[in-house]
PDB file of all heavy atoms in Angstrom:
ATOM      1  N   PRO F1449     -12.274  76.407 117.099  1.00 52.00           N
ATOM      2  CA  PRO F1449     -13.593  76.149 116.593  1.00 52.00           C
ATOM      3  C   PRO F1449     -14.689  76.633 117.511  1.00 52.00           C
ATOM      4  O   PRO F1449     -14.511  76.703 118.709  1.00 52.00           O
ATOM      5  CB  PRO F1449     -13.621  74.630 116.500  1.00 52.00           C
ATOM      6  CG  PRO F1449     -12.615  74.170 117.475  1.00 52.00           C
ATOM      7  CD  PRO F1449     -11.529  75.216 117.502  1.00 52.00           C
ATOM      8  N   ALA F1450     -15.726  77.075 116.883  1.00 54.00           N
ATOM      9  CA  ALA F1450     -16.854  77.616 117.694  1.00 54.00           C
ATOM     10  C   ALA F1450     -17.511  76.478 118.452  1.00 54.00           C
ATOM     11  O   ALA F1450     -17.541  75.306 118.018  1.00 54.00           O
ATOM     12  CB  ALA F1450     -17.869  78.286 116.761  1.00 54.00           C
ATOM     13  N   ARG F1451     -18.033  76.836 119.602  1.00 53.00           N
ATOM     14  CA  ARG F1451     -18.715  75.812 120.441  1.00 53.00           C
ATOM     15  C   ARG F1451     -20.006  75.417 119.768  1.00 53.00           C
ATOM     16  O   ARG F1451     -20.733  76.225 119.182  1.00 53.00           O
ATOM     17  CB  ARG F1451     -18.973  76.375 121.839  1.00 53.00           C
ATOM     18  CG  ARG F1451     -17.696  76.645 122.630  1.00 53.00           C
ATOM     19  CD  ARG F1451     -17.992  77.141 124.021  1.00 53.00           C
ATOM     20  NE  ARG F1451     -16.799  77.341 124.814  1.00 53.00           N
ATOM     21  CZ  ARG F1451     -16.188  76.412 125.508  1.00 53.00           C
ATOM     22  NH1 ARG F1451     -16.670  75.205 125.500  1.00 53.00           N
ATOM     23  NH2 ARG F1451     -15.113  76.689 126.182  1.00 53.00           N
ATOM     24  N   HIS F1452     -20.300  74.105 119.871  1.00 56.00           N
ATOM     25  CA  HIS F1452     -21.489  73.572 119.250  1.00 56.00           C
ATOM     26  C   HIS F1452     -22.456  73.088 120.309  1.00 56.00           C
ATOM     27  O   HIS F1452     -22.892  71.924 120.309  1.00 56.00           O
ATOM     28  CB  HIS F1452     -21.093  72.423 118.295  1.00 56.00           C
ATOM     29  CG  HIS F1452     -20.170  72.830 117.216  1.00 56.00           C
ATOM     30  ND1 HIS F1452     -20.553  73.564 116.107  1.00 56.00           N
ATOM     31  CD2 HIS F1452     -18.845  72.620 117.066  1.00 56.00           C
ATOM     32  CE1 HIS F1452     -19.503  73.763 115.332  1.00 56.00           C
ATOM     33  NE2 HIS F1452     -18.438  73.211 115.883  1.00 56.00           N
ATOM     34  N   GLY F1453     -22.772  73.951 121.191  1.00 60.00           N
ATOM     35  CA  GLY F1453     -23.764  73.622 122.184  1.00 60.00           C
ATOM     36  C   GLY F1453     -23.267  72.642 123.260  1.00 60.00           C
ATOM     37  O   GLY F1453     -22.097  72.652 123.619  1.00 60.00           O
ATOM     38  N   ALA F1454     -24.157  71.790 123.736  1.00 62.00           N
ATOM     39  CA  ALA F1454     -23.821  70.931 124.842  1.00 62.00           C
ATOM     40  C   ALA F1454     -22.940  69.744 124.438  1.00 62.00           C
ATOM     41  O   ALA F1454     -22.303  69.175 125.281  1.00 62.00           O
ATOM     42  CB  ALA F1454     -25.089  70.374 125.471  1.00 62.00           C
ATOM     43  N   ASP F1455     -22.895  69.418 123.107  1.00 70.00           N
ATOM     44  CA  ASP F1455     -22.103  68.303 122.697  1.00 70.00           C
ATOM     45  C   ASP F1455     -20.629  68.652 122.476  1.00 70.00           C
ATOM     46  O   ASP F1455     -19.846  67.774 122.080  1.00 70.00           O
ATOM     47  CB  ASP F1455     -22.693  67.715 121.419  1.00 70.00           C
ATOM     48  CG  ASP F1455     -22.706  68.702 120.271  1.00 70.00           C
ATOM     49  OD1 ASP F1455     -22.581  69.911 120.574  1.00 70.00           O
ATOM     50  OD2 ASP F1455     -22.857  68.293 119.118  1.00 70.00           O
ATOM     51  N   TYR F1456     -20.212  69.900 122.718  1.00 71.00           N
ATOM     52  CA  TYR F1456     -18.832  70.290 122.522  1.00 71.00           C
ATOM     53  C   TYR F1456     -18.005  69.733 123.652  1.00 71.00           C
ATOM     54  O   TYR F1456     -18.339  69.825 124.820  1.00 71.00           O
ATOM     55  CB  TYR F1456     -18.713  71.778 122.467  1.00 71.00           C
ATOM     56  CG  TYR F1456     -17.300  72.284 122.328  1.00 71.00           C
ATOM     57  CD1 TYR F1456     -16.598  72.291 121.115  1.00 71.00           C
ATOM     58  CD2 TYR F1456     -16.583  72.729 123.468  1.00 71.00           C
ATOM     59  CE1 TYR F1456     -15.329  72.729 121.021  1.00 71.00           C
ATOM     60  CE2 TYR F1456     -15.264  73.149 123.371  1.00 71.00           C
ATOM     61  CZ  TYR F1456     -14.631  73.156 122.163  1.00 71.00           C
ATOM     62  OH  TYR F1456     -13.353  73.573 122.059  1.00 71.00           O
ATOM     63  N   SER F1457     -16.826  69.172 123.327  1.00 76.00           N
ATOM     64  CA  SER F1457     -15.957  68.627 124.291  1.00 76.00           C
ATOM     65  C   SER F1457     -14.506  69.116 124.020  1.00 76.00           C
ATOM     66  O   SER F1457     -13.954  68.871 122.937  1.00 76.00           O
ATOM     67  CB  SER F1457     -15.950  67.065 124.262  1.00 76.00           C
ATOM     68  OG  SER F1457     -14.958  66.579 125.166  1.00 76.00           O
ATOM     69  N   ASN F1458     -14.003  69.871 124.972  1.00 75.00           N
ATOM     70  CA  ASN F1458     -12.617  70.390 124.804  1.00 75.00           C
ATOM     71  C   ASN F1458     -11.615  69.238 124.812  1.00 75.00           C
ATOM     72  O   ASN F1458     -10.619  69.303 124.032  1.00 75.00           O
ATOM     73  CB  ASN F1458     -12.348  71.348 125.973  1.00 75.00           C
ATOM     74  CG  ASN F1458     -10.908  71.924 125.921  1.00 75.00           C
ATOM     75  OD1 ASN F1458     -10.065  71.516 126.697  1.00 75.00           O
ATOM     76  ND2 ASN F1458     -10.702  72.832 124.979  1.00 75.00           N
ATOM     77  N   THR F1459     -11.833  68.217 125.568  1.00 78.00           N
ATOM     78  CA  THR F1459     -10.934  67.051 125.593  1.00 78.00           C
ATOM     79  C   THR F1459     -10.938  66.318 124.272  1.00 78.00           C
ATOM     80  O   THR F1459      -9.870  65.920 123.754  1.00 78.00           O
ATOM     81  CB  THR F1459     -11.321  66.113 126.723  1.00 78.00           C
ATOM     82  OG1 THR F1459     -11.443  66.812 127.941  1.00 78.00           O
ATOM     83  CG2 THR F1459     -10.343  64.993 126.855  1.00 78.00           C
ATOM     84  N   ARG F1460     -12.093  66.186 123.655  1.00 82.00           N
ATOM     85  CA  ARG F1460     -12.167  65.524 122.346  1.00 82.00           C
ATOM     86  C   ARG F1460     -11.478  66.304 121.267  1.00 82.00           C
ATOM     87  O   ARG F1460     -10.761  65.735 120.393  1.00 82.00           O
ATOM     88  CB  ARG F1460     -13.619  65.264 121.969  1.00 82.00           C
ATOM     89  CG  ARG F1460     -13.771  64.487 120.649  1.00 82.00           C
ATOM     90  CD  ARG F1460     -15.208  64.096 120.359  1.00 82.00           C
ATOM     91  NE  ARG F1460     -16.032  65.239 120.193  1.00 82.00           N
ATOM     92  CZ  ARG F1460     -17.017  65.608 121.017  1.00 82.00           C
ATOM     93  NH1 ARG F1460     -17.278  64.884 122.110  1.00 82.00           N
ATOM     94  NH2 ARG F1460     -17.788  66.664 120.760  1.00 82.00           N
ATOM     95  N   GLU F1461     -11.611  67.637 121.307  1.00 79.00           N
ATOM     96  CA  GLU F1461     -10.939  68.463 120.320  1.00 79.00           C
ATOM     97  C   GLU F1461      -9.417  68.370 120.468  1.00 79.00           C
ATOM     98  O   GLU F1461      -8.692  68.291 119.479  1.00 79.00           O
ATOM     99  CB  GLU F1461     -11.386  69.909 120.477  1.00 79.00           C
ATOM    100  CG  GLU F1461     -12.877  70.130 120.138  1.00 79.00           C
ATOM    101  CD  GLU F1461     -13.177  69.936 118.671  1.00 79.00           C
ATOM    102  OE1 GLU F1461     -12.245  70.052 117.815  1.00 79.00           O
ATOM    103  OE2 GLU F1461     -14.329  69.634 118.358  1.00 79.00           O
ATOM    104  N   ILE F1462      -8.928  68.409 121.675  1.00 79.00           N
ATOM    105  CA  ILE F1462      -7.454  68.309 121.890  1.00 79.00           C
ATOM    106  C   ILE F1462      -6.976  66.942 121.429  1.00 79.00           C
ATOM    107  O   ILE F1462      -5.902  66.862 120.801  1.00 79.00           O
ATOM    108  CB  ILE F1462      -7.136  68.549 123.387  1.00 79.00           C
ATOM    109  CG1 ILE F1462      -7.436  70.016 123.758  1.00 79.00           C
ATOM    110  CG2 ILE F1462      -5.670  68.247 123.665  1.00 79.00           C
ATOM    111  CD1 ILE F1462      -7.271  70.316 125.212  1.00 79.00           C
ATOM    112  N   GLY F1463      -7.689  65.884 121.787  1.00 82.00           N
ATOM    113  CA  GLY F1463      -7.248  64.556 121.367  1.00 82.00           C
ATOM    114  C   GLY F1463      -7.281  64.386 119.853  1.00 82.00           C
ATOM    115  O   GLY F1463      -6.340  63.769 119.278  1.00 82.00           O
ATOM    116  N   SER F1464      -8.261  65.010 119.173  1.00 84.00           N
ATOM    117  CA  SER F1464      -8.314  64.915 117.751  1.00 84.00           C
ATOM    118  C   SER F1464      -7.167  65.617 117.083  1.00 84.00           C
ATOM    119  O   SER F1464      -6.564  65.079 116.130  1.00 84.00           O
ATOM    120  CB  SER F1464      -9.667  65.502 117.265  1.00 84.00           C
ATOM    121  OG  SER F1464      -9.717  65.529 115.852  1.00 84.00           O
ATOM    122  N   VAL F1465      -6.792  66.795 117.560  1.00 82.00           N
ATOM    123  CA  VAL F1465      -5.649  67.492 117.015  1.00 82.00           C
ATOM    124  C   VAL F1465      -4.364  66.828 117.370  1.00 82.00           C
ATOM    125  O   VAL F1465      -3.417  66.759 116.532  1.00 82.00           O
ATOM    126  CB  VAL F1465      -5.661  68.949 117.470  1.00 82.00           C
ATOM    127  CG1 VAL F1465      -4.435  69.700 117.009  1.00 82.00           C
ATOM    128  CG2 VAL F1465      -6.918  69.676 116.980  1.00 82.00           C
ATOM    129  N   LEU F1466      -4.232  66.313 118.614  1.00 82.00           N
ATOM    130  CA  LEU F1466      -3.003  65.750 119.058  1.00 82.00           C
ATOM    131  C   LEU F1466      -2.643  64.461 118.320  1.00 82.00           C
ATOM    132  O   LEU F1466      -1.472  64.234 117.988  1.00 82.00           O
ATOM    133  CB  LEU F1466      -3.081  65.465 120.573  1.00 82.00           C
ATOM    134  CG  LEU F1466      -1.821  64.974 121.250  1.00 82.00           C
ATOM    135  CD1 LEU F1466      -0.707  66.001 121.196  1.00 82.00           C
ATOM    136  CD2 LEU F1466      -2.141  64.627 122.722  1.00 82.00           C
ATOM    137  N   TYR F1467      -3.643  63.639 117.995  1.00 85.00           N
ATOM    138  CA  TYR F1467      -3.350  62.349 117.390  1.00 85.00           C
ATOM    139  C   TYR F1467      -3.575  62.353 115.883  1.00 85.00           C
ATOM    140  O   TYR F1467      -3.548  61.306 115.242  1.00 85.00           O
ATOM    141  CB  TYR F1467      -4.228  61.273 118.012  1.00 85.00           C
ATOM    142  CG  TYR F1467      -3.854  60.966 119.418  1.00 85.00           C
ATOM    143  CD1 TYR F1467      -4.607  61.400 120.493  1.00 85.00           C
ATOM    144  CD2 TYR F1467      -2.704  60.236 119.705  1.00 85.00           C
ATOM    145  CE1 TYR F1467      -4.283  61.115 121.806  1.00 85.00           C
ATOM    146  CE2 TYR F1467      -2.328  59.964 121.009  1.00 85.00           C
ATOM    147  CZ  TYR F1467      -3.121  60.409 122.051  1.00 85.00           C
ATOM    148  OH  TYR F1467      -2.761  60.133 123.360  1.00 85.00           O
ATOM    149  N   THR F1468      -3.729  63.532 115.274  1.00 87.00           N
ATOM    150  CA  THR F1468      -3.848  63.641 113.816  1.00 87.00           C
ATOM    151  C   THR F1468      -2.791  64.565 113.290  1.00 87.00           C
ATOM    152  O   THR F1468      -1.859  64.146 112.596  1.00 87.00           O
ATOM    153  CB  THR F1468      -5.246  64.113 113.405  1.00 87.00           C
ATOM    154  OG1 THR F1468      -5.575  65.346 114.104  1.00 87.00           O
ATOM    155  CG2 THR F1468      -6.297  63.095 113.726  1.00 87.00           C
ATOM    156  N   ASP F1469      -2.866  65.844 113.609  1.00 85.00           N
ATOM    157  CA  ASP F1469      -1.920  66.832 113.079  1.00 85.00           C
ATOM    158  C   ASP F1469      -0.531  66.776 113.729  1.00 85.00           C
ATOM    159  O   ASP F1469       0.496  66.996 113.111  1.00 85.00           O
ATOM    160  CB  ASP F1469      -2.494  68.222 113.208  1.00 85.00           C
ATOM    161  CG  ASP F1469      -3.781  68.427 112.444  1.00 85.00           C
ATOM    162  OD1 ASP F1469      -4.010  67.631 111.450  1.00 85.00           O
ATOM    163  OD2 ASP F1469      -4.604  69.312 112.769  1.00 85.00           O
ATOM    164  N   TYR F1470      -0.543  66.452 115.040  1.00 85.00           N
ATOM    165  CA  TYR F1470       0.729  66.459 115.827  1.00 85.00           C
ATOM    166  C   TYR F1470       1.088  65.094 116.344  1.00 85.00           C
ATOM    167  O   TYR F1470       1.655  64.980 117.411  1.00 85.00           O
ATOM    168  CB  TYR F1470       0.596  67.480 116.982  1.00 85.00           C
ATOM    169  CG  TYR F1470       0.341  68.898 116.530  1.00 85.00           C
ATOM    170  CD1 TYR F1470      -0.963  69.401 116.586  1.00 85.00           C
ATOM    171  CD2 TYR F1470       1.367  69.701 116.091  1.00 85.00           C
ATOM    172  CE1 TYR F1470      -1.186  70.687 116.161  1.00 85.00           C
ATOM    173  CE2 TYR F1470       1.134  71.004 115.724  1.00 85.00           C
ATOM    174  CZ  TYR F1470      -0.144  71.503 115.745  1.00 85.00           C
ATOM    175  OH  TYR F1470      -0.409  72.764 115.346  1.00 85.00           O
ATOM    176  N   VAL F1471       0.741  64.040 115.598  1.00 88.00           N
ATOM    177  CA  VAL F1471       1.020  62.694 116.100  1.00 88.00           C
ATOM    178  C   VAL F1471       2.518  62.420 116.093  1.00 88.00           C
ATOM    179  O   VAL F1471       3.025  61.776 117.063  1.00 88.00           O
ATOM    180  CB  VAL F1471       0.275  61.655 115.256  1.00 88.00           C
ATOM    181  CG1 VAL F1471       0.692  61.700 113.797  1.00 88.00           C
ATOM    182  CG2 VAL F1471       0.423  60.267 115.814  1.00 88.00           C
ATOM    183  N   TYR F1472       3.261  62.860 115.104  1.00 90.00           N
ATOM    184  CA  TYR F1472       4.725  62.587 115.082  1.00 90.00           C
ATOM    185  C   TYR F1472       5.458  63.389 116.142  1.00 90.00           C
ATOM    186  O   TYR F1472       6.314  62.797 116.847  1.00 90.00           O
ATOM    187  CB  TYR F1472       5.282  62.882 113.680  1.00 90.00           C
ATOM    188  CG  TYR F1472       4.795  61.914 112.649  1.00 90.00           C
ATOM    189  CD1 TYR F1472       4.008  62.347 111.584  1.00 90.00           C
ATOM    190  CD2 TYR F1472       5.109  60.563 112.720  1.00 90.00           C
ATOM    191  CE1 TYR F1472       3.546  61.467 110.609  1.00 90.00           C
ATOM    192  CE2 TYR F1472       4.674  59.635 111.757  1.00 90.00           C
ATOM    193  CZ  TYR F1472       3.879  60.095 110.711  1.00 90.00           C
ATOM    194  OH  TYR F1472       3.416  59.235 109.767  1.00 90.00           O
ATOM    195  N   PRO F1473       5.205  64.679 116.322  1.00 86.00           N
ATOM    196  CA  PRO F1473       5.846  65.334 117.506  1.00 86.00           C
ATOM    197  C   PRO F1473       5.476  64.726 118.831  1.00 86.00           C
ATOM    198  O   PRO F1473       6.281  64.641 119.766  1.00 86.00           O
ATOM    199  CB  PRO F1473       5.369  66.810 117.407  1.00 86.00           C
ATOM    200  CG  PRO F1473       5.014  66.958 115.966  1.00 86.00           C
ATOM    201  CD  PRO F1473       4.488  65.667 115.513  1.00 86.00           C
TER     202      PRO F1473
END
């Protein structure tokens, strides 16, 4: 995803993907 200025958080994006799309793995 494209960066959205100062409010972009790489940690938040990883956590969102990890605990939604890849929660079972």
Side-chain angles (χ1 to χ4, degrees):
R1451 294 183 178 274
H1452 301 286
D1455 60 343
Y1456 176 81
S1457 175
N1458 179 254
T1459 308
R1460 184 173 64 246
E1461 294 293 336
I1462 293 175
S1464 176
V1465 174
L1466 185 63
Y1467 291 105
T1468 54
D1469 298 336
Y1470 299 98
V1471 61
Y1472 291 116

